[in-house]
Amino acid sequence: MENDLKDALAARLLAMGDDEAILGHRDSEWCGHAPILEEDIAFANIALDEIGHAQVWYALHAELLGEDAASYPDELVYRRSAGAFRHAPLLELPKGDWAFSMLRQYLFDLYESVMLAKLADSQNESIAGAAIRIGREEIYHRRHTQTWVRRLGLGTEESNSRMQTALDALWPHVMELFRPLSGDATLIEVGILPNLGDVQTVWEAAIRPWLTESNLAIPEAIPSNYTRTHHTKHLATLLDDLQEVVRLYPEGSW
Amino acid sequence: MPDTQWPEYVVFQQDKPERVHHYAGGVHAPDAEVALLNARDVFVRRPECISLWVVRRDLIFGATSEEISLDPNWFTQFEVPEGRIEKYAVFQKHGPRGVHEYTGTVEGRSSRDALRAALTVYANQDVTVWWVTPEEAIRRSTSDDIAALFAIAETKFYRDEGQYRTQEALRKIKAMRDKEQSSHGE
Amino acid sequence: MYGATIDLMDDPRDDAEKLAAFEARIAAGEKIEPGDWMPEEYRKQLIRMISQHAHSEVVGMLPEGTYITKAPSLRRKLILLAKVQDEGGHGQYLYHAAETLGATREEMLDLLLTGKAKYSNIFNYPALSWADMGIIGWLVDGAAILNQTMLAKASYGPYSRAMIRICAEENFHMRQGQDIIITLAIGTPEQKAMAQDALNRWWWPTLMMFGPPDTDSPNSTVLIRWGIKTKTNDELRQTFINQMVPELQSLGLEFPDPDLLYDAESGNWITGPIDWDEFWRVIRGDGPMNKERLGARRAAHEDGQWVREALAAYAEKHEMTSAVL
């Protein structure tokens, strides 16, 4: 593979892995604290899936760089500093209330399921295969989260207002999911990656009616100042927690 | 406002195509769709499921064989309403072990009427508990759900205790330590 | 459902006859099912015991829950999250078993959150390091497996069935704990010290998990007579000690008990005296983490109230429950 293409693909896979790892981490914070026991279990399932997806993308990233696919993902998650992470800042925001976490999960699940459906036709066979495997789990996520978004949107005045507040806070951060990385154009050209504009079109066509029918008003699209390379202050706090044990005993293997 | 944990739904699970649905437990849910999703999350964290049914608990009518045998008037002392005839699913639990399994359907004008029909149609010495519920009250997963809801549990290798060779590791470490100690003693 | 037909029943027997028949069924190894006649005391003891057990699973999510976000590798994170999630699932199975006896989850949770219901003392101790995840899995889940293997034979059908399902899932919990401790014990000196420190802090509290000594256990007799329990607290505790001591010693870990010795005649490991004053202190609410644990449960419950109400309101508005009738 040409170097340009390889660098571009590595960067894209890293961003995809980071998205999943950071969201899975935030979701896992709910286990033991959810509004009802059934949802402690359900949301933990979603977190487990997302962390599993991170492992898949990180492993492909590692293979591409000639690194060990089994151990390199942990190097990435546990030994990088905040500035090196490439996920969308949407995913690092603190878990907030149940409306915030559920709506973020829905916005991301829908993005992910559209992306995976297109990646299933990728010219890169490893990516296409992974997208098909992971895609099965996203069908379930999407069903779970859209069921919840509908019910919280239309439930009570309080639930509606909490959902609207969450949507207003999340919406500016969503756009970063669709902003191409510097190398993406190369990948799109050779059919490895779909055009993110197309992903966004499909995503909006699905998400706008669902939110509107859930009695939620879609805010104006004003992108936030935070990007995949410029994170909010919350990432450092998140990593202090996530990397605590490894930093305490840097020589250890686990 | 008093707390609500939502109504309780009873969950029936089918492990393999050649097996019938059996009673797995219950979940709390505000409605049938959420109940089905919750049942999946609670009961299919590990594989071995191809179909789930959920039924609101208060729509299941049951009797134990002990109850029925002790009440001489069980078959006669109730009124059958005028209403329409409906299909009811019948579940039986056999013997002291095992769980309630789907047996088939009967028709009846009420739950009790249906149970009486079931006692005639599916009479079996071995039954310890009978349940009937209107077929319409059962929310079922579909064949499309198999891949999306159930098969994905297969990838969760870490729940398999066979992944952890701890007894083997303990034996090896012990043997190593014993060897070290005996060589120190010499 | 289940036993809801009791009031329709015209049972010709008097209480003494019923009790004799009930005890004969238990002696014959039959399972009592919801709807069968049972002494009121049997129902009460079961609700108490099963709901305490359920509370223990749910409160038990908290100590390990604090380390889900800190687990030191992606694999460990998946394992720990799946394990804590399983505890929630086990709580769920157990609440369901208690519900078959006529208790509601609203009532049971209310008793927990108002501090009136008990749960296992062990969860009132803090998790202070990653090694605690290993020791909890190995010792606490190891103890739970012994208890639950016994309860899988319990005379009440739904409790027994919940236990069978739980036992099948629980071995993974203990194994992953052993796996953590083995990794630490053969790791750096700091890692091994971390494992030793965790064993020091958790050993005595886990011995107390089996409950007070038989001479001081008020409910044991009736529980054994009615086939709810089949072994005494002291019997289970001894089995546990005999299993754990050689295994952990084989890793070069030491027990925080200068009196611990092997009695060749009985084949038992004998420990020094257990501090039962500490046990009763923690039960009365004076343990290191009682306030924090209940506080966390209350917060989750209160923060979740609007969520539960919203979905109930949606179901009502859309008549989703009656649509399927």
Side-chain angles (χ1 to χ4, degrees), chain C residues 50-297:
Chain C
I50 300 173
S51 61
Q52 275 184 21
H53 196 160
H55 298 330
S56 298
E57 297 282 356
V58 171
V59 177
M61 298 170 80
L62 297 171
E64 289 171 288
T66 50
Y67 272 83
I68 290 172
T69 56
K70 303 176 199 295
S73 73
L74 289 171
R75 175 171 170 266
R76 292 288 181 205
K77 196 182 181 76
L78 288 168
I79 294 168
L80 186 61
L81 178 54
K83 182 196 183 248
V84 177
Q85 182 201 37
D86 271 351
E87 315 286 6
H90 297 173
Q92 214 278 346
Y93 305 161
L94 287 160
Y95 282 126
H96 177 71
E99 286 172 298
T100 65
L101 290 158
T104 69
R105 204 156 90 182
E106 285 86 352
E107 289 162 3
M108 290 187 275
L109 288 180
D110 184 62
L111 289 174
L112 172 68
L113 298 174
T114 52
K116 290 180 194 127
K118 298 201 179 352
Y119 54 87
S120 178
N121 254 1
I122 196 75
F123 303 117
N124 287 320
Y125 291 84
L128 300 178
S129 80
W130 172 249
D132 288 24
M133 300 304 104
I135 288 290
I136 291 174
W138 196 337
L139 296 186
V140 175
D141 289 277
I145 287 170
L146 284 178
N147 195 33
Q148 289 167 174
T149 306
M150 171 189 74
L151 291 170
K153 302 189 189 86
S155 58
Y156 186 58
Y159 195 21
S160 155
R161 289 193 288 273
M163 281 300 135
I164 290 168
R165 192 154 193 144
I166 290 172
C167 284
E169 300 182 353
E170 197 91 19
N171 282 336
F172 138 60
H173 296 183
M174 184 166 90
R175 296 274 185 98
Q176 65 83 35
Q178 293 178 321
D179 197 60
I180 291 174
I181 294 300
I182 292 170
T183 308
L184 296 177
I186 61 175
T188 66
E190 290 83 2
Q191 285 180 308
K192 185 168 181 183
M194 193 180 7
Q196 180 64 58
D197 170 62
L199 178 59
N200 293 348
R201 284 181 289 108
W202 289 93
W203 174 244
W204 290 108
T206 48
L207 294 185
M208 296 177 200
M209 276 180 71
F210 296 95
D214 295 348
T215 48
D216 208 7
S217 177
N219 295 317
S220 270
T221 328
V222 68
L223 294 178
I224 287 176
R225 183 158 60 108
W226 284 337
I228 299 174
K229 286 173 74 168
T230 53
K231 287 182 180 151
T232 71
N233 295 351
D234 285 337
E235 284 169 353
L236 283 173
R237 186 164 21 244
Q238 189 62 56
T239 308
F240 175 76
I241 295 166
N242 291 350
Q243 180 188 332
M244 293 300 159
V245 170
E247 284 187 351
L248 283 145
Q249 280 184 341
S250 73
L251 290 175
L253 296 173
E254 287 164 16
F255 284 83
D257 179 0
D259 299 329
L260 184 69
L261 62 86
Y262 183 68
D263 177 44
E265 201 175 311
S266 63
N268 285 333
W269 284 89
I270 311 293
T271 67
I274 295 171
D275 180 2
W276 291 110
D277 288 345
E278 174 177 325
F279 174 80
W280 294 112
R281 231 180 9 254
V282 180
I283 277 216
R284 282 195 305 267
D286 226 359
M289 296 295 281
N290 296 55
K291 284 195 184 66
E292 286 79 356
R293 298 297 182 231
L294 266 194
R297 285 312 315 154

Side-chain angles (χ1 to χ4, degrees), chain B residues 8 23 28 46 67 136 166, chain C residues 5 86 96 99 178 324:
Chain B
E8 202 188 354
Y23 171 40
H28 286 249
R46 290 161 178 76
E67 273 179 281
E136 279 185 18
T166 50
Chain C
T5 55
D86 271 351
H96 177 71
E99 286 172 298
Q178 293 178 321
V324 294

